[in-house]
Amino acid sequence: MIKNEKQLFIICILISCLTLLIVSILFLLSAISSLIFKSILLGTLLSIINFVIGVSLIKFSINKSDSIFLLALWGGILFRLILGLSLVLMTLIFLEINTYGFIFSILFFYVFYLLIEIFYLNLGRKSRFGIK
């Protein structure tokens, strides 16, 4: 079981690196084309940007008052959705990528990083209230 945020982020980094390593090996073995490889990397990058913004806002507001925490949480969600939607639309319109690989990688990594954020919030709640 994950006991602190350091373990959580180490597991997050390991799983992310392992996934990207597998995709890179598939690309080097010519199992996937360069277009799909580029699409997966772009989707991963957009999800990582979303995750970093979310965790930064949570870290900023976790020990603040409830109203500031909720404002940062819900405002951050709105900001991240608008930013993510605009980045996805610009990527789909202006770059030559594989649409299916791009959308699938965004979906996969978005759900993965969202779970990490939920675990991080749960760890913060446990440490804040002294729950074991």
Side-chain angles (χ1 to χ4, degrees):
M1 187 68 185
I2 300 169
K3 299 201 186 319
N4 58 31
E5 68 181 58
K6 187 176 181 181
Q7 286 180 341
L8 180 67
F9 288 126
I10 288 173
I11 290 171
C12 174
I13 290 170
L14 287 175
I15 292 174
S16 298
C17 289
L18 181 66
T19 305
L20 291 175
L21 180 69
I22 290 170
V23 171
S24 299
I25 289 172
L26 288 173
F27 172 68
L28 292 174
L29 294 175
S30 298
I32 59 174
S33 68
S34 63
L35 189 66
I36 293 175
F37 181 67
K38 182 174 72 170
S39 303
I40 291 172
L41 288 182
L42 281 171
T44 304
L45 178 66
L46 293 181
S47 295
I48 288 173
I49 291 170
N50 188 4
F51 173 71
V52 168
I53 292 171
V55 169
S56 300
L57 286 170
I58 290 171
K59 274 185 175 268
F60 165 75
S61 64
I62 194 81
N63 292 322
K64 307 275 192 224
S65 68
D66 289 341
S67 61
I68 292 176
F69 174 73
L70 288 174
L71 180 67
L73 184 71
W74 292 109
I77 289 173
L78 179 65
F79 173 73
R80 292 176 353 181
L81 283 174
I82 292 170
L83 178 69
L85 179 64
S86 59
L87 288 175
V88 166
L89 288 176
M90 285 191 295
T91 303
L92 289 173
I93 292 170
F94 295 117
L95 296 179
E96 182 182 338
I97 59 168
N98 181 296
T99 306
Y100 297 118
F102 178 69
I103 297 298
F104 176 75
S105 67
I106 285 179
L107 179 65
F108 174 78
F109 282 104
Y110 179 80
V111 170
F112 172 68
Y113 289 128
L114 191 62
L115 287 172
I116 297 296
E117 284 183 47
I118 291 169
F119 288 140
Y120 180 69
L121 277 171
N122 194 26
L123 285 173
R125 184 183 65 82
K126 285 181 180 178
S127 65
R128 184 175 179 188
F129 295 112
I131 301 171
K132 291 187 178 192

